[in-house]
Amino acid sequence: MTIEQELKTSRFQNDIQKAELNIMFTASWLKMQVSKRLKEYDLTNEQFNVLRIIRGQAPHAVCVKDITERMIDRNSNTTRLLDKLAEKGLIWREPSAEDRRELCISLTKAGQQVLKKIDNREKKYTPNVSTGLTDLEAQLLNILLDKLRETL
């Protein structure tokens, strides 16, 4: 569907406004699609993002402040997210050797396994089937989105 059909309007001030609305609508739509896929793993988008950040630092633990800096939604409460992941047995927290006030976070075996299950499920979809974009289109979109953030 076009953005006009989705928003049930054909009136935009200009193409820039239309693009902004299209990006915001698409971001919300994409987040909802990912949420649906994560539901079977009892994870939210934000929890999944945190798990991926932690995995990206393996085999080293990562400090809470570093997780917060790398999150997609930086308005999320990192401590609350980590509490939920710890309750689920997906992460391990330990005091930092350098600064006892800081906690370092690692994935547990269960955390590694849930990410592996998600990865295996996602591999079943080819990139252009899951997003509807070819590799070249995805590259162009990435360039344009990066440019948008750089100029604002």
Side-chain angles (χ1 to χ4, degrees), residues 62-66 94-97 99-104:
V62 60
C63 294
V64 175
K65 66 180 168 72
D66 294 329
E94 59 187 338
S96 168
D99 184 351
R100 292 188 324 202
R101 295 171 294 172
E102 182 69 87
L103 288 176
C104 291

Side-chain angles (χ1 to χ4, degrees), residues 56-95:
Q57 298 303 301
H60 305 289
V62 60
C63 294
V64 175
K65 66 180 168 72
D66 294 329
I67 293 171
T68 303
E69 289 174 356
R70 294 181 173 128
M71 289 178 62
I72 293 171
D73 181 1
R74 295 184 180 144
N75 292 324
S76 296
N77 183 330
T78 309
T79 302
R80 183 184 55 79
L81 289 169
L82 293 171
D83 288 345
K84 292 285 187 186
L85 292 170
E87 285 173 23
K88 295 177 184 187
L90 302 177
I91 63 165
W92 166 258
R93 296 184 270 199
E94 59 187 338

Side-chain angles (χ1 to χ4, degrees), residues 1 3 14 21 51 53-54 93 103 107 109 117:
M1 273 187 163
I3 192 65
N14 52 44
L21 291 171
L51 290 174
I53 290 166
I54 297 166
R93 296 184 270 199
L103 288 176
L107 287 177
K109 290 279 187 206
K117 286 179 186 176

Side-chain angles (χ1 to χ4, degrees), residues 1-147:
M1 273 187 163
T2 66
I3 192 65
E4 290 88 354
Q5 292 168 319
E6 292 286 0
L7 299 181
K8 297 176 179 35
T9 187
S10 59
R11 291 183 178 193
F12 299 99
Q13 292 175 1
N14 52 44
D15 282 332
I16 298 295
Q17 182 202 37
K18 180 179 174 181
E20 287 174 350
L21 291 171
N22 205 340
I23 291 167
M24 288 187 289
F25 181 86
T26 304
S28 177
W29 173 85
L30 188 56
K31 187 174 182 177
M32 187 172 45
Q33 300 304 311
V34 173
S35 287
K36 288 178 189 176
R37 294 196 310 255
L38 292 175
K39 195 171 198 159
E40 74 179 83
Y41 303 100
D42 191 32
L43 291 174
T44 65
N45 288 326
E46 294 80 12
Q47 290 169 348
F48 180 56
N49 183 216
V50 168
L51 290 174
R52 291 178 56 221
I53 290 166
I54 297 166
R55 177 176 62 182
Q57 298 303 301
H60 305 289
V62 60
C63 294
V64 175
K65 66 180 168 72
D66 294 329
I67 293 171
T68 303
E69 289 174 356
R70 294 181 173 128
M71 289 178 62
I72 293 171
D73 181 1
R74 295 184 180 144
N75 292 324
S76 296
N77 183 330
T78 309
T79 302
R80 183 184 55 79
L81 289 169
L82 293 171
D83 288 345
K84 292 285 187 186
L85 292 170
E87 285 173 23
K88 295 177 184 187
L90 302 177
I91 63 165
W92 166 258
R93 296 184 270 199
E94 59 187 338
S96 168
E98 294 86 37
D99 184 351
R100 292 188 324 202
R101 295 171 294 172
E102 182 69 87
L103 288 176
C104 291
I105 314 297
S106 302
L107 287 177
T108 61
K109 290 279 187 206
Q112 292 169 5
Q113 289 172 343
V114 75
L115 285 174
K116 192 174 216 172
K117 286 179 186 176
I118 294 169
D119 289 345
N120 289 337
R121 180 166 184 231
E122 294 300 311
K123 284 179 188 175
K124 292 179 182 177
Y125 303 100
T126 57
N128 62 347
V129 172
S130 63
T131 64
L133 300 175
T134 66
D135 284 343
L136 186 58
E137 290 168 332
Q139 289 171 9
L140 178 59
L141 179 59
N142 285 322
I143 290 167
L144 293 172
L145 292 172
D146 288 347
K147 181 178 180 180

